[in-house]
Amino acid sequence: MDGWPASFRVFISSAAVKHNSYQAIMKHLHSVCFLLLPYTCLLLCAEITPVKADTRREAEALVNWKASLADADESLGPWSMANSTSLCRWTHITCDTAGHIIELNLDRASLNGTLDKLDFSVFPHLRRLLLSYNDLYSTIPAGIGNLTSLVELDISWNQYLRGNIPRSIGQLKHLAVLRMPGFEAQRRAA
């Protein structure tokens, strides 16, 4: 580099220092990232595991309820623990991006039975429960008050669904649309 102008030699020398600094910084970042990788995996797994557990509980609740209904295999055929990992692809179900059930649309699904065996407590993310035009009978269980995210409840046109409206319906703070046999209401936004 003796034949090069002084300003060019300074530039080349400065670039070499920057290059060495860049390599040192990258080596340091690589070490830090390598050390943080296991912790990142632990954090991701900690977030995924509860969702899988919740999804399994949701699937079990639906399969148990299906077993209590008469002739449900025809309309709820794919609902089984054998394919519980694909819960969001089951018929009549809509999930959010995390895989939680947010809608059960069972309108006109030819359901014949009660709501007594449906464990409402495992559906904290459920926003819409649509059960109209079925053959549901008995009473509305108090457990329905556990659906704390529910915005719409439609159990109209189930002529054998009788009894008082459970007080627990008052726990449904987000409920905006309520359709029941002989009773329809829509809450207006304040």
Side-chain angles (χ1 to χ4, degrees):
M1 283 192 12
D2 290 333
W4 297 92
S7 61
F8 189 72
R9 276 183 279 164
V10 169
F11 174 76
I12 295 292
S13 176
S14 171
V17 168
K18 284 182 184 175
H19 179 71
N20 288 339
S21 296
Y22 174 78
Q23 283 183 330
I25 289 170
M26 290 308 291
K27 189 180 276 189
H28 180 70
L29 281 175
H30 185 268
S31 317
V32 169
C33 288
F34 184 74
L35 289 173
L36 291 177
L37 185 62
Y39 298 108
T40 305
C41 290
L42 284 174
L43 287 173
L44 288 174
C45 290
E47 288 295 317
I48 292 170
T49 302
V51 172
K52 285 185 179 179
D54 289 347
T55 302
R56 181 163 181 81
R57 286 185 21 230
E58 289 175 342
E60 286 172 349
L62 291 174
V63 168
N64 289 338
W65 182 50
K66 175 188 169 185
S68 77
L69 301 171
D71 303 320
D73 280 337
E74 193 170 315
S75 57
L76 305 177
W79 289 19
S80 74
M81 291 311 293
N83 66 356
S84 64
T85 56
S86 58
L87 176 67
C88 295
R89 285 184 250 162
W90 288 7
T91 56
H92 311 289
I93 290 177
T94 304
C95 294
D96 61 13
T97 54
H100 299 290
I101 296 175
I102 58 169
E103 180 178 311
L104 277 175
N105 186 346
L106 294 158
D107 287 344
R108 301 176 195 269
S110 302
L111 303 179
N112 186 347
T114 72
L115 295 171
D116 297 336
K117 299 291 182 185
L118 181 55
D119 183 0
F120 296 104
S121 67
V122 301
F123 301 102
H125 304 278
L126 190 66
R127 297 181 47 79
R128 297 180 76 216
L129 179 58
L130 310 173
L131 299 168
S132 65
Y133 294 96
N134 285 293
D135 289 318
L136 297 175
Y137 56 88
S138 190
T139 60
I140 303 164
I144 205 160
N146 290 320
L147 299 174
T148 55
S149 297
L150 204 64
V151 173
E152 182 176 358
L153 173 61
D154 186 353
I155 52 176
S156 61
W157 298 101
N158 285 284
Q159 64 183 8
Y160 301 110
L161 202 54
R162 302 269 187 245
N164 295 326
I165 297 171
R167 288 186 178 276
S168 63
I169 290 264
Q171 295 171 238
L172 306 178
K173 303 297 183 200
H174 302 286
L175 192 65
V177 179
L178 175 63
R179 293 187 194 94
M180 297 180 144
F183 177 80
E184 289 192 20
Q186 186 163 350
R187 184 184 298 173
R188 302 266 188 252

